């Protein structure tokens, strides 16, 4: 049964970009900032002390299941 909030295509892309930048994070002020803020409210991203958005462990799980289509281990 599907019980996770739906991610818009733009937010799915923002989540994927968070995995690509790894520990560097995404700076504020980019076009995807609204999605990064939404992902933060969902616990999939977090705003660090340096002002950059980083992926959380929950975000990595969601990325693996929804974007990479990997089954949970």
């Amino acid at each position: 049964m599907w019980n996770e909030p739906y991610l818009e295509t733009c937010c799915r892309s923002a989540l994927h970009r968070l995995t690509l930048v790894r520990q560097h994070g995404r700076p504020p002020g980019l076009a995807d900032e609204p999605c990064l803020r939404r992902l933060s409210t969902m616990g999939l991203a977090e705003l660090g002390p340096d002002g950059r958005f980083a992926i959380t462990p929950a975000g990595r799980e969601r990325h693996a299941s929804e974007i990479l289509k990997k089954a949970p281990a």
Side-chain angles (χ1 to χ4, degrees):
M1 183 169 105
W2 187 262
N3 61 0
E4 296 174 334
Y6 176 75
L7 285 181
E8 297 288 339
T9 302
C10 56
C11 293
R12 289 168 44 96
S13 296
L15 182 62
H16 182 65
R17 284 190 291 275
L18 282 176
T19 67
L20 297 176
V21 297
R22 302 175 196 246
Q23 74 275 9
H24 303 293
R26 302 244 333 136
L30 299 176
D32 63 354
E33 184 173 353
C35 289
L36 295 171
R37 292 198 178 280
R38 180 170 186 242
L39 292 172
S40 294
T41 65
M42 298 171 70
L44 304 177
E46 61 187 0
L47 187 59
D50 60 355
R52 291 176 167 265
F53 292 90
I55 195 164
T56 63
R60 290 189 192 289
E61 286 181 29
R62 183 76 180 260
H63 180 264
S65 68
E66 189 165 328
I67 297 166
L68 299 179
K69 306 290 185 189
K70 291 185 177 180

